[in-house]
Amino acid sequence: MIKHVIAGIATILALWACVYMYNSDKEVNKLANIQSLIKKSEIKVHLVKKTEIKKEVKQSEKISSSSKANKKMDDKLRALKNKAGNIAAFKVSPLYKKNCSSCHGSTGEGIIGPKLRGKDKDFLLKNLKEFKAGTRKNYVMYGLLGNLSDQQLDDLATEISTFQAKYDKAQK
Ligand code: HEC
């Protein structure tokens, strides 16, 4: 009888041991899984980091190249501004500034269009009228003067004819 009890207990112990071993195996597996997961995610993080870094490098390259271009533009703008600042020795009317200064310069010194400073009123008005009428052919000037009145042309001619004296005065 006692033999049976011992055998029973032994069996139960053996079973328990089996279950225990199985469970601890599971735990170990879990641990291994977790470790491999961590490793994988590290790899991912690593990969992500690498590609991100590449992206960042590319972006910063872009930025630096565009900032190079920007710098060039800035330099050009600064040069232009300096030029304008030096030459803009006197005030011009908004009418001239808006319609004419981009091509003839802030004080009539000439850029794309010829120098106007120093030309007398008759010459200026005559040419403006001819441009507007189309008798002096220039598509740039023609298109520009179409929406200016004769009075405005007269005003402009009058104003521009004073540029030289104003300029000379400002240089002293
Ligand atoms: C988009 C550029 C541009 C603008 C803006 C412009 N002009 Fe001109 N202008 C020219 C060019 C180019 C000529 C030369 C045309 C030619 O040789 O036939 C010229 C010629 C002239 C002439 C004749 C000068 C000469 O020596 O023969 C006068 C005067 C003149 N412009 C006045 C003006 C006035 C005033 C304005 C503003 C209402 C003006 N321009 C706006 C480009 C411009």
Side-chain angles (χ1 to χ4, degrees), residues 3-23:
K3 267 188 194 169
H4 286 278
V5 173
I6 291 170
I9 291 169
T11 315
I12 288 167
L13 274 175
L15 272 175
W16 177 79
C18 277
V19 171
Y20 180 81
M21 290 298 280
Y22 176 74
N23 272 340

Side-chain angles (χ1 to χ4, degrees), residues 26-42:
K26 250 178 149 180
E27 292 296 314
V28 169
N29 278 342
K30 261 192 208 163
L31 212 79
N33 269 343
I34 290 169
Q35 270 171 346
S36 76
L37 272 178
I38 290 172
K39 261 191 194 157
K40 269 186 204 161
S41 66
E42 268 174 2

